Amino acid sequence: MTTMSRREFLRRSNKAGLGLAAGVTILESARSVRAAPANEKVILAIVGCKGRGYTLARNFAARDDCELAYVADVDSTLFASRAKGIAECQGGRVPQCVQDFRKVLDDQSVDAIVVATPTHWHAPATVWACQAGKDVYVEKPLCHNAWEGQQMVKAARKHDRVVQVGTQNRSAPYNMAARQYLADGKLGKVHYVRVLNQKLWANFPMAEDKPVPKGLDWDMWNGPAPEHAYNDTLRYHWHHLWRYCIGDLGNDGAHQFDQVRMIVGFDIPKQVYCTGGRFNTEGAADTPDTQIATFTYDNDLVVTLELTLYTPYMLKIDGVVRDSDMFPYWPQCATRMEIYGDQGVMTVGRMGGGWQVHVRTKDRKPVVKDQMYGRFPDPDHQENFVQCVRSREKPNADIDVGHRSHLTLHYATISYRTGGQTLNIDRQTQHIKDNPEAMKLFQREYRKPWVLEEV
């Protein structure tokens, strides 16, 4: 059995020029270029500063080569605590706080924004930022619908902006090594890939409408979605409501689908089929809790993505595994990928879970042929973004790369929402062929004044 370490992979990659050939940034350490003079700092603004947004804000603020100049959030009650916490990370420099992020776009000193709002705001914020001359780090899911992803790509290219999608697995050395392993033919011919997204995320009741909480701009929070009175369920459970998101297949499942797309190298499918349902119906969620999507490709490849949200015994990869030399317990790993070649099967974990290649058993015991431990890739991904803001190179998770992953998941969602229809894809236009019913879900209707215009 061969075990490759991160250090050994980086040494071999740099010696062979693999990082340049693959079009990615590979660093021995994610801190390797942080000692920038104060006058060369990248000036950032965070748009959406609750859970993930606050984590990103503090991570960027803690870098020697960045300054977090703005906090933009529709909930002004967050301002004091967020400004204090961010200031602690950047030598006491307190960011300005605004409710409307468009004010940030008017400030020419801001180099880039970090978008961590609910999904329905990702595309408008990204497109408008590109039009204002800002670079963008945008969290997944990339967008509410397929058309929005197209507009994000067009805006980035038209205005020559660096746009990095928050699918950080693309910056993980262990995933780069897995991709090289397949490219070298060590797994043989691959005809089937299985992706899983399993966990417990229970249904929830619909709350009663009530007055807008003090300090919240509810009209802007609701944004492009249909008009609705303030409701706690809409605000806190948006992940599982079609009006705001695309369900967990594209919310959390986007991470491992994009990751395996990077490793195996497939692009847009020619045919998509998806079935499932919301079988735990006691609640307000309208997206599925059980789903299987099948994607068919030209090169004799079939990929499936499976979702269950009622399975508490399926476990995400925890922090101990992410940051140490160990692997998850694969049978109950909630976010694993299985790549089946004719020479073995590679099982991959996201966010630092590493990978192992199993071949035929011996004496009824498993045989691991090759393996590599992982590490949590958040620092690497943020480093890559900052480097590309300076160099103007495309980042590891460039907007077009992220769009193609999410576009494929939007096809699956559309298939499900049209009763499990098999969709045939025109890969030039990215439209669904000969199916007006399905194409109605390709784009949403926007509530004025929060309208995203075609780029």
Side-chain angles (χ1 to χ4, degrees):
M1 177 183 69
T2 301
T3 299
M4 184 181 294
S5 68
R6 171 191 173 105
R7 185 178 297 275
E8 176 63 15
F9 171 70
L10 297 178
R11 186 189 67 79
R12 294 184 186 180
S13 299
N14 291 332
K15 185 176 180 180
L18 295 179
L20 293 175
V24 298
T25 300
I26 304 177
L27 299 170
E28 180 69 21
S29 166
R31 297 179 177 273
S32 61
V33 296
R34 290 191 179 183
N39 62 352
E40 294 182 11
K41 289 181 181 291
V42 175
I43 306 302
L44 300 169
I46 183 71
V47 179
C49 201
K50 288 185 75 68
R52 177 60 177 167
Y54 189 40
T55 297
L56 287 169
R58 288 172 61 88
N59 287 348
F60 279 112
R63 296 176 57 96
D64 297 331
D65 55 3
C66 291
E67 180 175 342
L68 208 297
Y70 282 94
V71 170
D73 197 288
V74 292
D75 185 356
S76 63
T77 65
L78 296 173
F79 288 171
S81 63
R82 297 308 191 255
K84 180 176 182 293
I86 292 168
E88 291 172 352
C89 296
Q90 56 183 21
R93 296 184 299 278
V94 180
Q96 298 183 53
C97 297
V98 297
Q99 277 191 298
D100 190 336
F101 74 90
R102 292 173 295 181
K103 295 179 180 178
V104 174
L105 304 184
D106 294 332
D107 188 336
Q108 294 185 2
S109 71
V110 175
D111 298 305
I113 69 169
V114 180
V115 181
T117 62
T119 305
H120 64 296
W121 264 110
H122 287 185
T126 298
V127 170
W128 298 345
C130 289
Q131 292 170 340
K134 314 300 184 190
D135 296 326
V136 182
Y137 183 108
V138 56
E139 268 298 332
K140 62 82 212 165
L142 181 63
C143 48
H144 174 269
N145 56 76
W147 178 84
E148 287 185 343
Q150 293 179 323
Q151 307 315 304
M152 296 166 88
V153 174
K154 289 196 287 186
R157 297 296 184 259
K158 179 178 180 179
H159 300 283
D160 193 23
R161 294 296 91 199
V162 171
V163 181
Q164 172 97 299
V165 183
T167 46
Q168 59 266 60
N169 288 289
R170 284 188 176 264
S171 292
Y174 80 96
N175 290 323
M176 299 175 191
R179 175 173 58 187
Q180 192 62 46
Y181 191 94
L182 266 68
D184 290 342
K186 295 180 180 179
L187 205 64
K189 295 180 180 179
V190 174
H191 296 299
Y192 177 55
V193 176
R194 184 183 181 215
V195 185
L196 293 102
N197 186 56
Q198 300 181 283
K199 68 186 84 166
L200 175 64
W201 201 334
N203 208 334
F204 43 85
M206 176 58 78
E208 293 184 0
D209 295 344
K210 64 182 185 181
V212 178
K214 183 179 180 180
L216 176 67
D217 185 341
W218 171 248
D219 184 61
M220 190 172 190
W221 190 102
N222 194 41
E227 183 78 28
H228 201 289
Y230 175 80
N231 189 291
D232 281 341
T233 298
L234 271 58
R235 184 182 181 188
Y236 295 113
H237 296 283
W238 54 267
H239 302 83
H240 302 286
L241 299 170
W242 293 126
R243 60 187 286 128
Y244 299 125
C245 197
I246 63 172
D248 210 52
L249 192 81
N251 172 50
D252 208 20
H255 274 305
Q256 48 269 40
F257 187 80
D258 180 75
Q259 180 180 349
V260 82
R261 203 172 76 78
M262 165 196 173
I263 294 170
V264 180
F266 54 88
D267 193 19
I268 297 175
K270 65 179 181 181
Q271 196 172 76
V272 179
Y273 165 77
C274 184
T275 188
R278 169 60 67 170
F279 298 127
N280 178 10
T281 58
E282 296 181 3
D286 52 17
T287 62
D289 61 12
T290 306
Q291 217 169 347
I292 298 178
T294 302
F295 310 98
T296 305
Y297 296 83
D298 276 336
N299 52 342
D300 300 321
L301 176 69
V302 174
V303 179
T304 61
L305 175 54
E306 304 171 29
L307 164 77
T308 60
L309 298 182
Y310 57 88
T311 46
Y313 45 83
M314 300 302 292
L315 306 175
K316 285 188 173 184
I317 298 169
D318 61 66
V320 174
V321 175
R322 289 177 172 184
D323 293 317
S324 60
D325 289 349
M326 62 187 301
F327 297 104
Y329 177 60
W330 295 121
Q332 289 177 264
C333 179
T335 53
R336 73 184 187 273
M337 295 137 272
E338 299 169 355
I339 304 169
Y340 290 85
D342 58 15
Q343 301 298 313
V345 56
M346 175 183 281
T347 308
V348 189
R350 77 178 200 184
M351 302 298 184
W355 53 265
Q356 291 183 297
V357 174
H358 287 81
V359 294
R360 191 176 179 88
T361 60
K362 184 177 182 180
D363 299 328
R364 301 181 182 84
K365 295 181 180 179
V367 176
V368 177
K369 180 184 177 184
D370 297 298
Q371 63 182 26
M372 184 174 178
Y373 298 115
R375 292 294 183 271
F376 188 48
D378 242 18
D380 304 84
H381 206 52
Q382 291 152 22
E383 172 73 16
N384 174 247
F385 176 65
V386 174
Q387 282 196 355
C388 291
V389 167
R390 291 176 164 174
S391 70
R392 311 315 298 166
E393 295 178 358
K394 290 182 181 178
N396 292 345
D398 174 65
I399 181 63
D400 187 54
V401 169
H403 162 61
R404 288 169 180 269
S405 294
H406 286 82
L407 173 67
T408 305
L409 300 178
H410 280 297
Y411 292 143
T413 297
I414 292 171
S415 171
Y416 167 80
R417 295 184 70 182
T418 54
Q421 294 185 36
T422 297
L423 307 181
N424 295 300
I425 310 303
D426 182 333
R427 282 167 289 183
Q428 293 299 314
T429 64
Q430 301 179 355
H431 288 179
I432 299 162
K433 295 179 180 178
D434 305 320
N435 194 326
E437 179 187 5
M439 281 301 296
K440 287 181 180 179
L441 296 172
F442 199 80
Q443 181 181 358
R444 80 175 312 156
E445 291 186 12
Y446 291 84
R447 183 175 67 96
K448 295 181 179 180
W450 315 107
V451 178
L452 180 63
E453 302 288 351
E454 182 160 5
V455 177

